[in-house]
Amino acid sequence: MSTSVSAAAVAALVPPLTGRRSPPASRVPQICRRRIRSKPRIFSSSPSFPIVPAAAMATGGAAPTASDAGSKKKLLIFDSEEDLAVSLAKYTAELSEKFAAERGAFTAVLSGGSLIEALRKLTEPPYLDSVDWSKWHVFWVDERVVPKDHVDSNYKLAYDGFLSKVPIPPGQVYAINDALSAEGAADDYEACLKQLVKNGVISMSAATGFPRFDLQLLGMGPDGHIASLFPGHPLVNEKERWVTYIKDSPKPPPERITFTFPVINSSAYVAMVVTGAGKAAAVQKALSDKQTSSDLLPVEMAVLQDGEFTWFTDKAAVSLLQNK
Ligand SMILES: O=C(O)[C@H](O)[C@@H](O)[C@H](O)[C@H](O)COP(=O)(O)O
């Protein structure tokens, strides 16, 4: 398992990304550290949730382009988790190819939880060989403040289930500094991101002034939380910080760091991977026509400024939706 170094080390060690070339792996240091029918079903829950043609999905043909993005939302419903995993791998691989070609790097953000298992097809043929893993830069939307070899660590979860099986240069995997307090780890991670923006590895959103990650792969809890942004917690209103911390997370462990909504909402692409009946009520609220602004779940506050937001769901997760 990789070890981490401080964010400050990135400034000195990660070379700027120029043109279409990413830093050679050797020069990059350790981090700062259904059976679906043949095609997924695409569902529109309200006029504000437009149907996007399946061709725009990674089901074949060209990968989606940034100019296609706008602020689109799509809901994909799979008959099985297996089919979801197949589609998610293809979607992710095509975005990797698109961003690697356009900017010489692909910035991918992971959450913890069941998302990692849903990414398993990326570690198998054809993607194991066809994806240009040297272009990947991996981040966490949230992390538990525990040692990286702790059973609760999102880094460990991702390393064991995904990162150890694909040849991403270790220096392009940005884990938190687990020697620091929650406050310190959040500051350190934000400093790391700022340095990587300076180096051109992470894009900036001209529209929001926050970093614009190429793809954020997120999960949602049964209570509608995403990242470590929980319903009713003041952190959901953070407008300045890129990364912040929580010491009273209702989901254990209590101490975590998390991206803020301005960073999540500046993404180019978000894949929201949600399966199981336990999440059906939150999915129903999030995709219902009757949204009220007073009691939004965190997942409802994930509204991209200029990007494409795709729900990857199974039948159980959408079982409470009408007209599915
Ligand atoms: O560290 C965490 O706890 C996660 O990042 C968290 O936001 C997770 O993604 C959701 O709770 C969904 O988890 P499941 O998919 O396992 O339900």
Side-chain angles (χ1 to χ4, degrees):
M1 197 174 290
S2 305
T3 54
S4 64
V5 298
S6 74
V10 172
L13 296 171
V14 176
L17 189 65
T18 52
R20 292 179 159 217
R21 301 178 71 85
S22 63
S26 57
R27 291 171 50 208
V28 179
Q30 286 298 315
I31 51 181
C32 57
R33 318 211 258 17
R34 78 202 159 189
R35 280 168 334 258
I36 191 174
R37 294 154 183 87
S38 47
K39 290 199 172 155
R41 301 173 74 180
I42 300 179
F43 171 75
S44 170
S45 67
S46 73
S48 60
F49 195 112
I51 294 176
V52 176
M57 254 302 292
T59 51
T65 63
S67 57
D68 289 332
S71 272
K72 293 176 182 167
K73 278 192 176 184
K74 294 189 282 186
L75 171 59
L76 304 179
I77 304 168
F78 297 89
D79 282 347
S80 71
E81 194 277 339
E82 177 75 6
D83 293 330
L84 185 157
V86 168
S87 182
L88 184 65
K90 189 168 186 183
Y91 169 90
T92 304
E94 291 190 9
L95 287 177
S96 160
E97 187 179 348
K98 163 186 154 58
F99 284 104
E102 283 179 8
R103 48 184 299 270
F106 177 54
T107 52
V109 177
L110 304 176
S111 67
S114 57
L115 181 269
I116 300 302
E117 174 71 6
L119 291 174
R120 66 187 177 280
K121 300 286 178 190
L122 279 172
T123 69
E124 300 171 5
Y127 305 114
L128 186 56
D129 295 323
S130 65
V131 167
D132 185 352
W133 297 104
S134 72
K135 300 294 193 291
W136 279 54
H137 292 257
V138 177
F139 304 84
W140 276 265
V141 72
D142 70 334
E143 177 59 290
R144 293 93 179 270
V145 182
V146 293
K148 281 198 284 296
D149 58 358
H150 191 281
V151 68
D152 284 336
S153 163
N154 282 344
Y155 170 83
K156 176 175 167 47
L157 178 74
Y159 183 85
D160 291 347
F162 176 41
L163 300 174
S164 61
K165 301 174 182 178
V166 294
I168 298 171
Q172 294 171 203
V173 174
Y174 305 92
I176 67 165
N177 184 337
D178 60 359
L180 300 175
S181 65
E183 297 95 314
D187 286 350
D188 183 74
Y189 210 68
E190 184 169 303
C192 170
L193 300 187
K194 287 187 168 159
Q195 187 57 47
L196 290 167
V197 165
K198 271 193 197 157
N199 288 1
V201 171
I202 301 173
S203 300
M204 277 296 279
S205 164
T208 67
F210 283 88
R212 178 171 175 79
F213 288 92
D214 299 331
L215 172 62
Q216 298 211 28
L217 291 149
L218 306 183
M220 180 194 81
D223 59 355
H225 83 261
I226 61 170
S228 287
L229 299 164
F230 292 90
H233 196 283
L235 281 192
V236 302
N237 298 316
E238 175 58 48
K239 302 279 193 301
E240 307 291 330
R241 293 295 306 259
W242 295 11
V243 182
T244 188
Y245 65 92
I246 178 170
K247 289 190 160 181
D248 56 355
S249 164
K251 177 181 177 182
E255 297 205 1
R256 295 150 170 258
I257 72 162
T258 182
F259 282 8
T260 60
F261 271 116
V263 174
I264 293 171
N265 289 343
S266 299
S267 305
Y269 291 84
V270 165
M272 179 63 66
V273 181
V274 177
T275 59
K279 297 176 180 173
V283 169
Q284 181 192 32
K285 179 164 181 343
L287 300 183
S288 121
D289 291 338
K290 301 186 190 99
Q291 286 179 339
T292 60
S293 55
S294 56
D295 64 341
L296 291 179
L297 296 176
V299 71
E300 296 175 89
M301 300 172 75
V303 178
L304 301 191
Q305 177 76 19
D306 176 20
E308 185 175 289
F309 189 108
T310 304
W311 288 77
F312 285 79
T313 69
D314 65 357
K315 285 180 157 182
V318 299
S319 56
L320 296 178
L321 289 181
Q322 305 295 314
N323 306 319
K324 55 191 176 291

